[in-house]
Amino acid sequence: MTQSDSVPCDAVGRRIIYRDEYGTVCFVGTVPSAAGIWLGVEWDNPERGKHNGTHEGVQYFQCSHPTGGSFVRPQKASFGIDFLSALKDRYGHEGNQGIQDSQGNPLCWGKRPIELMGDRDTEVKQRWFDALLIVSIRECQVSSVDEEDEISNICPNIIELDLSKNLFVSWDKVAQITLHLRKLEHLDLSQNKLAIVSNPVSLSDAFANLKSLAIQYNGLTWAQVLECAPMWPVLERAHLSSNAISVLERLEQLILSNTGLTSLHFEDVQPDGKTAMFPNLKFLAIDKNRISEFSSVNELNKLQSLEQLKFCDYAMVESEKNAKTVRQLIIAKLGHLNILNRTEILPEERRGAELDYRKRFGKEWLKAGGHQDPKRNRPDEEFCAEHPRYQVLIDKYGAPEDSEMEQQKFFALKDQLLALIIRCPDNPDQKLLEKKLPDSMTIQKVRGLLYRLFKVPGAELKLTYISSKMDMEIDMDNDLKPLSYYSIESGDCILVRW
């Protein structure tokens, strides 16, 4: 697709394509020794260019790469087409050329292409465009919108739109399209060079229902992403790979729940150091992943500002046999944490967790070269890497005595009967019950007991319990596990709902 000899009045700053190469116009004018108008272009691919904008000693424009620029004739460059033209080219031509799919292939009925002919041509075409829910016009040279008001009439039901690798130059150009796509939830703008508008929040209505956005290979910094963020009021997921993001300087909350994470590493510092990454991160959610090693918890202590953590990971619970033990270990390993899984860490809970941690690993500390005499206390690197806060706890509480280390009872429960309270919070007329149950009793057998008490099928019962020591409700959702798995103690209350 070519342009005429005339050059758009706003050519400088516009995106063009020439022989399958993308670039930005930085200069329009004459060049001595070559008649006519030239475009000075900085190419996305610096190997395509010949110089840095300087020709015969004269600087016509500037490039970020020594060989990123060259001159081309306007008539050989394409400044792009409008959105609706690209849509019609991709999904349905005029006349009897037929309807095409998103790859430009004709749609067929049997072996014959579907053609739009006769008096009902317009009506049939409109029904076709109305049915479009997922649209891709990637690499279609889209740069503008000529009939903005027609978008909602022609294709009002688009939910997912791919506009990647086109010729857009700013977010307001994209907003001219999305403003009229009120059902749009997923948008791909990767490989576009988009200038940020002066008041991003003014475009928020154009992205009012957008839940997922891909802006990859756009050259964005994290500061620019945050500057744009007010445009996307309900955004749930952003794909930002292959940008110019090196340090997330202003990030305070990060949600990585259910992302398939198996481990965490900050390799820029030693085990007891503080990473330069995420310096302002205060809240982190990494629940519903596959993290099973406490070495990843050690890594979290490297975050400078972390105060709140959401991390109730079943894989970790399996390794330690009960949820309460996992909570205590996390508290002991993360010295500045104030809230864990939405429950405040009170001073007495932290003190108890840290003292028990100090006792539990005391023998390992001695074996690794630790000693009650500070002058002889030299634990090896392996122990220090596995327990980076252990020395901090010794400085805080003193080295563990031999008598303490003999008591290896870290949250262990002996086989015994548990005196438990059973309450039905949704049935206030139901009296409180007190039962003594063995800690080896499985949740499945507890359900059987409750069926006999309340005459409600066990499968319909939802069981949780509240610890007498912590005001936190914990699900008991694994029928094959015993009560001891959940670290229930005498005095705790089982809540029964149906």
Side-chain angles (χ1 to χ4, degrees):
M1 188 174 298
T2 60
Q3 289 285 113
S4 64
D5 288 343
S6 61
V7 179
C9 60
D10 61 346
V12 174
R14 290 278 296 272
R15 299 278 291 161
I16 65 163
I17 185 171
Y18 169 69
R19 294 181 179 177
D20 295 327
E21 295 284 353
Y22 289 77
T24 303
V25 177
C26 300
F27 167 83
V28 177
T30 59
V31 178
S33 74
I37 299 296
W38 290 88
L39 303 178
V41 180
E42 180 175 11
W43 302 102
D44 293 359
N45 175 15
E47 295 181 1
R48 168 62 182 80
K50 298 179 180 179
H51 49 70
N52 65 351
T54 300
H55 178 65
E56 295 183 351
V58 179
Q59 180 100 46
Y60 291 91
F61 60 96
Q62 294 183 337
C63 291
S64 57
H65 193 277
T67 61
S70 67
F71 294 99
V72 298
R73 291 293 189 183
Q75 61 268 27
K76 293 185 178 181
S78 170
F79 283 85
I81 62 175
D82 75 283
F83 171 73
L84 288 178
S85 295
L87 183 73
K88 293 172 182 178
D89 286 346
R90 175 61 62 89
Y91 287 92
H93 285 291
E94 296 294 331
N96 62 0
Q97 297 180 41
I99 300 175
Q100 299 175 328
D101 62 16
S102 61
Q103 282 74 43
N105 302 312
L107 293 178
C108 297
W109 182 269
K111 295 184 179 180
R112 296 186 58 186
I114 299 175
E115 299 179 354
L116 299 177
M117 302 175 64
D119 296 337
R120 299 187 63 197
D121 185 3
T122 302
E123 180 184 348
V124 174
K125 282 182 181 178
Q126 186 56 57
R127 286 207 304 268
W128 166 244
F129 285 114
D130 282 348
L132 290 175
L133 302 180
I134 300 175
V135 169
S136 173
I137 49 177
R138 173 181 168 82
E139 292 187 87
C140 287
Q141 304 182 29
V142 181
S143 62
S144 62
V145 183
D146 289 348
E147 300 175 273
E148 184 178 340
D149 295 337
E150 287 299 306
I151 294 176
S152 58
N153 295 326
I154 293 175
C155 51
N157 296 313
I158 294 176
I159 296 175
E160 182 174 331
L161 178 60
D162 185 351
L163 293 175
S164 61
K165 206 170 184 181
N166 279 291
L167 301 177
F168 294 106
V169 295
S170 68
W171 281 97
D172 53 358
K173 292 292 185 182
V174 176
Q176 287 180 313
I177 298 171
T178 59
L179 181 64
H180 303 282
L181 301 175
R182 306 310 296 176
K183 298 181 180 180
L184 185 66
E185 296 182 358
H186 309 281
L187 178 63
D188 192 342
L189 290 170
S190 300
Q191 295 175 277
N192 284 286
K193 304 287 185 180
L194 300 172
I196 302 173
V197 297
S198 58
N199 184 20
V201 73
S202 65
L203 301 182
S204 60
D205 192 44
F207 306 98
N209 298 309
L210 194 65
K211 296 180 179 178
S212 174
L213 174 65
I215 40 177
Q216 303 172 111
Y217 296 94
N218 291 51
L220 293 170
T221 64
W222 182 245
Q224 289 172 324
V225 172
L226 292 178
E227 188 177 352
C228 291
M231 285 191 289
W232 318 311
V234 297
L235 192 69
E236 297 176 357
R237 179 170 297 181
H239 302 269
L240 302 170
S241 65
S242 302
N243 278 292
I245 298 172
S246 56
V247 178
L248 303 181
E249 295 175 347
R250 292 162 55 188
L251 186 68
E252 294 188 0
Q253 298 188 35
L254 180 60
I255 300 174
L256 296 172
S257 305
N258 197 25
T259 57
L261 277 175
T262 58
S263 62
L264 295 167
H265 302 281
F266 299 105
E267 298 179 349
D268 59 325
V269 290
Q270 296 298 315
D272 59 348
K274 296 295 182 183
T275 179
M277 300 182 67
F278 309 105
N280 295 315
L281 186 66
K282 296 181 179 179
F283 174 87
L284 176 63
I286 52 172
D287 55 315
K288 300 178 183 178
N289 284 297
R290 298 195 297 272
I291 300 172
S292 60
E293 300 295 332
F294 279 100
S295 58
S296 291
V297 180
N298 293 338
E299 293 294 305
L300 295 178
N301 197 55
K302 295 179 180 180
L303 293 168
Q304 300 177 35
S305 305
L306 186 65
E307 297 176 354
Q308 301 183 41
L309 177 66
K310 188 177 181 185
F311 180 36
C312 36
D313 201 298
Y314 285 110
M316 189 78 77
V317 173
E318 287 285 349
S319 69
E320 285 298 323
K321 305 305 180 188
N322 71 67
K324 197 175 294 184
T325 300
V326 174
R327 178 179 174 87
Q328 299 294 326
L329 288 171
I330 292 174
I331 291 171
K333 285 178 174 289
L334 304 181
H336 297 290
L337 204 64
N338 296 326
I339 296 175
L340 176 58
N341 296 330
R342 300 179 180 176
T343 301
E344 183 181 1
I345 301 169
L346 298 175
E348 55 268 26
E349 183 182 13
R350 171 165 292 284
R351 176 181 173 83
E354 291 179 342
L355 285 171
D356 280 311
Y357 188 95
R358 167 179 155 275
K359 288 188 291 185
R360 177 178 183 177
F361 298 102
K363 286 189 174 181
E364 291 184 30
W365 170 68
L366 290 175
K367 187 176 180 180
H371 201 279
Q372 283 93 344
D373 183 351
K375 295 180 180 179
R376 300 170 62 186
N377 180 29
R378 297 184 183 87
D380 59 31
E381 291 185 6
E382 183 178 353
F383 179 87
C384 292
E386 190 172 348
H387 306 280
R389 287 201 74 229
Y390 200 84
Q391 185 59 46
V392 174
L393 300 182
I394 289 178
D395 294 341
K396 186 175 182 179
Y397 301 108
E401 300 293 335
D402 292 338
S403 58
E404 292 181 282
M405 290 183 283
E406 292 299 325
Q407 300 173 9
Q408 295 293 322
K409 296 182 181 179
F410 192 74
F411 301 114
L413 293 174
K414 297 179 180 178
D415 289 332
Q416 57 183 346
L417 291 178
L418 304 175
L420 302 175
I421 300 170
I422 299 175
R423 182 163 64 90
C424 303
D426 297 339
N427 299 79
D429 294 334
Q430 183 68 51
K431 294 181 180 179
L432 291 179
L433 299 176
E434 295 185 5
K435 290 289 180 181
K436 290 186 177 182
L437 305 177
D439 66 353
S440 59
M441 189 175 190
T442 65
I443 301 303
Q444 187 175 28
K445 290 183 178 180
V446 173
R447 288 183 184 277
L449 171 66
L450 296 173
Y451 167 68
R452 292 192 295 273
L453 292 173
F454 301 124
K455 308 304 180 185
V456 177
E460 298 180 13
L461 300 176
K462 175 179 173 56
L463 305 183
T464 61
Y465 87 93
I466 296 180
S467 168
S468 58
K469 296 181 178 179
M470 293 184 293
D471 185 18
M472 179 174 66
E473 192 168 342
I474 299 172
D475 289 332
M476 296 191 294
D477 52 6
N478 191 329
D479 285 356
L480 302 180
K481 297 295 184 181
L483 289 170
S484 60
Y485 172 80
Y486 295 97
S487 198
I488 296 181
E489 299 177 348
S490 290
D492 290 350
C493 180
I494 295 179
L495 305 180
V496 185
R497 297 181 176 90
W498 62 85

